[in-house]
Amino acid sequence: MGLRVFNTLSRLVEPFEPLDPAGKKVGLYCCGPTVHDFAHIGNFRTFVFADIVRRHLAFRGFDVCHVMNITDVEDKIIRRVNESAKTLAEFTDEHEQAFLTDLEALGCLMPDERPHATKFIGPIINLIKKLKENGIAYHANDGSVYFSIEKYREAGNRYGQLLNLNLEAMRPGERVSSDEYEKESIADFALWKARVPEDGEVFWGSPWGEGRPGWHIECSAMSMELLGPSFDLHLGGEDLVFPHHEDEIAQSEGACLQCDGLRFVKYWMHGAHLLVEGKKMSKSLGNFFTLRDLLAKGSTGREVRYLMISAHYRETFNFTLDNLAGAKTALGRIDECTTKLRELALGQAAEPATDSPLVTHFTEAMDDDLNVSAAWAAVFDWVRDTNRKLAANELDTPAAATELANWEHINSVLGIESVEEEVPAEIVALAEERQAARKAKDFARSDQIRDELAAQGWTIEDTLKGPRVKRT
Ligand code: AMP
Ligand code: ZN
């Protein structure tokens, strides 16, 4: 049947057909972090969701370009920079590095492009110029440039595509300079914010004087610059539907850069929020977790990832420390099964089987708007069945290698890293002896040991942290 996804634009599950006439290339944009603090596990639920979408598209043969922006200029960041003795770049670099480390610990693939708002000031200014030329942006007395929702509507556009809005109940004309989205009113919004004393040294020159871009325009400019004026998929957390994504549509379609009949974005997908112990995460309630908090409590990135992808992305997910313990148990069952298969497969290479129930059921489930519950059911049915076959000695080496290949194939979507096998003491001793031989430049002996290890099914990899022994 092919992949189907829920499109926030139509509020329907639709077949996924990319814009590329060859049906191969897919442009995916997910709003990235605002790098002002450590991201919390709620933020990471959204990024893990984007990672799963990207991985499943690749699994289905699409050639994905995954873009995740880094918001490195915005009200909160400026406030924090001014409180610290750091420059904007020093402050945001530090937080971005921490974010990427956490993203990696959660088994997420690095997005292909990570554009920074501060490196796209030129395209942002050009986009605002275009909106001014089209008569839907205006330079106000306070020096800022605003988007006029009224003019946009008068030009025949609809404001309120992702969400049914009651425009009459809104406050037209009110100008909101804050880009902290929880505070943003439904009204004209700033595209370019005139420099104010609180901005300190954070400003750029523009045709409208010194200032900085608004948050919404950053995403319109960066996504269209990297993926073209029309692209396939735009993702984010549900809180971004309005106003951020609605404003992205207004700005991008208001600039009229799309070809006839094409939208700015074909499919919008939004991930539901993560709650902690049934409540909204908040520092004052003491239920605000960063990944680092959980790692310090002894959890692993793969356990947190498992938990995040155990619920459907459109369902609010309740995070508890108890269900994190459940994730450990579930992963333990998978690890036990794959470890036994690995022992039996003796490093033999194999292709996934075309008729594997695991692969077929998993693919059907994920194609159905990422139905992870059914996908996990397929995984655990397979674990049960494989354990039974292992216990009954029904699997020989090639069969075990094929089962392992089936698992690895679907795990390219789940992204659950395999556990490191414990290395027996005699193998460690041999590896250490080889290291000593190499130090003494006795290469004949070191080669001999490497061959001995290979004969027993172990390889030595020279890594940055020194030699590492692993199963061949
Ligand atoms: P921010 O860094 O605040 O711009 O947020 C980055 C991403 O995290 C956005 O896509 C938000 O929608 C998302 N997000 C924020 N809070 C949560 C939450 N509790 N659960 C899931 N996603 C969230
Ligand atoms: Zn965005």
Side-chain angles (χ1 to χ4, degrees):
M1 232 177 137
L3 175 60
R4 286 145 289 138
V5 297
F6 182 87
N7 189 352
T8 315
L9 263 183
S10 63
R11 293 153 191 94
L12 294 171
V13 176
E14 298 178 15
F16 179 77
E17 286 154 8
L19 294 167
D20 174 17
K24 189 90 184 147
K25 288 206 168 80
V26 172
L28 183 162
Y29 186 93
C30 179
C31 293
T34 305
V35 281
H36 61 85
D37 208 339
F38 289 119
H40 55 65
I41 54 166
N43 299 129
F44 280 115
R45 180 182 188 199
T46 295
F47 300 121
V48 170
F49 152 58
D51 182 65
I52 289 286
V53 173
R54 172 223 176 125
R55 285 169 175 269
H56 188 59
L57 287 164
F59 176 80
R60 297 300 271 130
F62 295 106
D63 182 2
V64 188
C65 178
H66 175 189
V67 181
M68 180 190 70
N69 70 297
I70 306 285
T71 300
D72 60 350
V73 55
E74 161 280 355
D75 295 349
K76 265 181 270 178
I77 297 180
I78 295 177
R79 214 179 306 137
R80 300 255 173 114
V81 167
N82 291 338
E83 284 162 10
S84 72
K86 294 181 179 139
T87 64
L88 178 71
E90 284 165 354
F91 179 85
T92 54
D93 272 3
E94 223 173 75
H95 288 91
E96 180 181 346
Q97 286 320 314
F99 171 79
L100 295 177
T101 305
D102 288 357
L103 197 66
E104 218 163 21
L106 286 168
C108 292
L109 301 174
M110 276 299 130
D112 302 293
E113 301 271 2
R114 296 192 301 274
H116 293 71
T118 57
K119 303 281 184 319
F120 279 73
I121 302 292
I124 291 171
I125 289 178
N126 288 339
L127 189 57
I128 302 175
K129 275 189 190 162
K130 189 88 198 135
L131 291 168
K132 279 204 78 211
E133 276 164 35
N134 293 356
I136 50 179
Y138 58 96
H139 192 187
N141 292 338
D142 64 357
S144 296
V145 180
Y146 293 92
F147 185 93
S148 163
I149 291 167
E150 202 182 324
K151 294 277 169 18
Y152 175 68
R153 292 176 72 204
E154 279 168 15
N157 300 296
R158 193 170 136 222
Y159 187 75
Q161 300 187 27
L162 292 171
L163 204 69
N164 288 320
L165 296 170
N166 178 358
L167 286 164
E168 271 51 59
M170 295 176 190
R171 291 164 289 170
E174 183 182 335
R175 293 182 200 142
V176 177
S177 63
S178 165
D179 58 10
E180 289 180 20
Y181 53 88
E182 65 272 23
K183 288 187 191 158
E184 201 147 52
S185 304
I186 302 155
D188 290 1
F189 53 91
L191 299 168
W192 185 262
K193 299 175 166 198
R195 186 180 176 194
V196 290
E198 303 85 81
D199 290 345
E201 290 312 299
V202 181
F203 68 90
W204 289 265
S206 84
W208 317 285
E210 290 171 346
R212 60 188 172 95
W215 174 43
H216 312 310
I217 196 81
E218 297 176 358
C219 279
S220 283
M222 289 187 278
S223 62
M224 293 201 288
E225 193 71 13
L226 292 166
L227 296 171
S230 290
F231 59 93
D232 302 290
L233 262 172
H234 197 314
L235 271 56
E238 61 185 354
D239 56 321
L240 299 193
V241 172
F242 190 84
H244 186 53
H245 288 164
E246 194 64 48
D247 289 348
E248 274 192 49
I249 296 178
Q251 296 162 145
S252 310
E253 297 190 354
C256 302
L257 303 171
Q258 291 74 23
C259 298
D260 259 358
L262 289 185
R263 311 292 311 266
F264 161 49
V265 172
K266 191 168 178 188
Y267 304 94
W268 288 87
M269 293 174 79
H270 291 98
H273 267 187
L274 179 135
L275 304 179
V276 173
E277 310 278 356
K279 298 197 185 84
K280 191 175 154 50
M281 233 182 325
S282 93
K283 278 197 172 144
S284 55
L285 287 174
N287 64 355
F288 181 96
F289 289 116
T290 63
L291 180 65
R292 281 136 211 263
D293 296 333
L294 299 177
L295 299 184
K297 284 182 196 289
S299 295
T300 61
R302 70 200 286 270
E303 287 160 15
V304 179
R305 179 182 178 89
Y306 173 87
L307 198 54
M308 285 181 179
I309 60 177
S310 61
H312 193 269
Y313 75 93
R314 284 196 284 125
E315 276 165 21
T316 306
F317 177 67
N318 191 24
F319 176 91
T320 67
L321 290 173
D322 277 352
N323 54 30
L324 194 53
K328 194 185 178 103
T329 312
L331 283 171
R333 285 179 59 205
I334 299 174
D335 293 341
E336 197 187 334
C337 176
T338 53
T339 303
K340 280 189 196 143
L341 284 175
R342 217 163 267 126
E343 279 165 13
L344 198 56
L346 297 173
Q348 207 173 84
E351 288 293 318
T354 46
D355 60 350
S356 147
L358 170 64
V359 177
T360 313
H361 294 151
F362 178 86
T363 309
E364 276 168 7
M366 293 299 279
D367 273 359
D368 178 17
D369 191 33
L370 310 185
N371 182 349
V372 283
S373 315
W376 283 116
V379 169
F380 286 105
D381 281 351
W382 172 79
V383 168
R384 203 175 313 111
D385 193 46
T386 306
N387 281 341
R388 188 195 53 75
K389 287 179 184 160
L390 284 163
N393 283 327
E394 283 175 23
L395 295 177
D396 56 9
T397 292
T402 302
E403 286 304 341
L404 207 51
N406 293 339
W407 160 252
E408 274 159 12
H409 187 39
I410 64 134
N411 193 32
S412 69
V413 181
L414 298 172
I416 300 292
E417 270 173 51
S418 24
V419 272
E420 295 285 323
E421 195 179 340
E422 222 169 277
V423 186
E426 63 274 18
I427 300 294
V428 174
L430 271 176
E432 280 167 0
E433 198 187 330
R434 174 178 168 271
Q435 192 61 2
R438 274 162 65 101
K439 228 175 173 178
K441 300 211 170 357
D442 184 354
F443 296 113
R445 178 67 189 139
S446 96
D447 286 352
Q448 195 187 16
I449 297 175
R450 193 196 51 213
D451 294 345
E452 261 175 59
L453 284 169
Q456 296 190 49
W458 295 89
T459 344
I460 292 202
E461 263 181 1
D462 289 306
T463 72
L464 284 176
K465 290 184 193 139
R468 196 167 70 108
V469 222
K470 52 176 241 189
R471 272 270 177 213
T472 310

